[in-house]
Amino acid sequence: MATLLITESSAVARANFSDMESAFGNTVLSHYPDGGWVRHWFERDGGYRAAFSDGRTISGNWTREGDRLCLNDIRPRLFLSRFCSKFTPVRFGESWTARDPLGRRVRNELVRGRSH
């Protein structure tokens, strides 16, 4: 879910970066049907962190690659070091469905501020 802006031109890079602007300084919250959740934080410098409802945390880097948002160099490496999903631009208060790395359906929402 993030990017170091690997693109073909600086104009495209600026457009991709601006698509992520609402995520910076805020939280993407993923809700699972069983009540679990994951909080995702994206940084302007390409950094990524996440905290799970069971206490686990991960970190890595994000990139926008076309219409996909990719997490790279995920640490600690559990079962994969890279995961990409379709990029969905949203505003505060909107939610969207997606799949996690295991194929499970999640409902995501963009939450104002850094909720921990």
Side-chain angles (χ1 to χ4, degrees):
M1 325 205 157
T3 181
L4 290 174
L5 304 175
I6 300 172
T7 59
E8 297 173 328
S9 77
S10 61
V12 173
R14 284 191 298 276
N16 284 343
F17 187 82
S18 67
D19 288 348
M20 286 292 295
E21 191 65 35
S22 61
F24 304 142
N26 296 302
T27 304
V28 174
L29 182 57
S30 297
H31 301 273
Y32 284 86
D34 67 0
W37 49 262
V38 181
R39 290 185 173 114
H40 307 270
W41 300 289
F42 297 92
E43 305 297 339
R44 281 184 177 84
D45 68 0
Y48 166 78
R49 293 179 302 115
F52 295 74
S53 55
D54 66 6
R56 291 178 296 133
T57 61
I58 61 172
S59 63
N61 298 300
W62 65 269
T63 56
R64 266 294 297 286
E65 299 175 14
D67 68 345
R68 301 180 324 149
L69 182 64
C70 297
L71 301 178
N72 304 291
D73 303 319
I74 299 169
R75 298 169 305 279
R77 185 170 182 197
L78 304 172
F79 55 92
L80 57 104
S81 63
R82 177 177 165 86
F83 173 72
C84 297
S85 62
K86 183 179 181 313
F87 176 76
T88 304
V90 296
R91 297 180 200 172
F92 292 107
E94 294 180 329
S95 65
W96 69 101
T97 59
R99 299 276 180 182
D100 76 358
L102 298 177
R104 298 175 295 185
R105 184 173 296 277
V106 296
R107 182 181 58 83
N108 298 308
E109 66 178 311
L110 181 60
V111 178
R112 206 173 287 281
R114 290 286 169 112
S115 63
H116 291 277

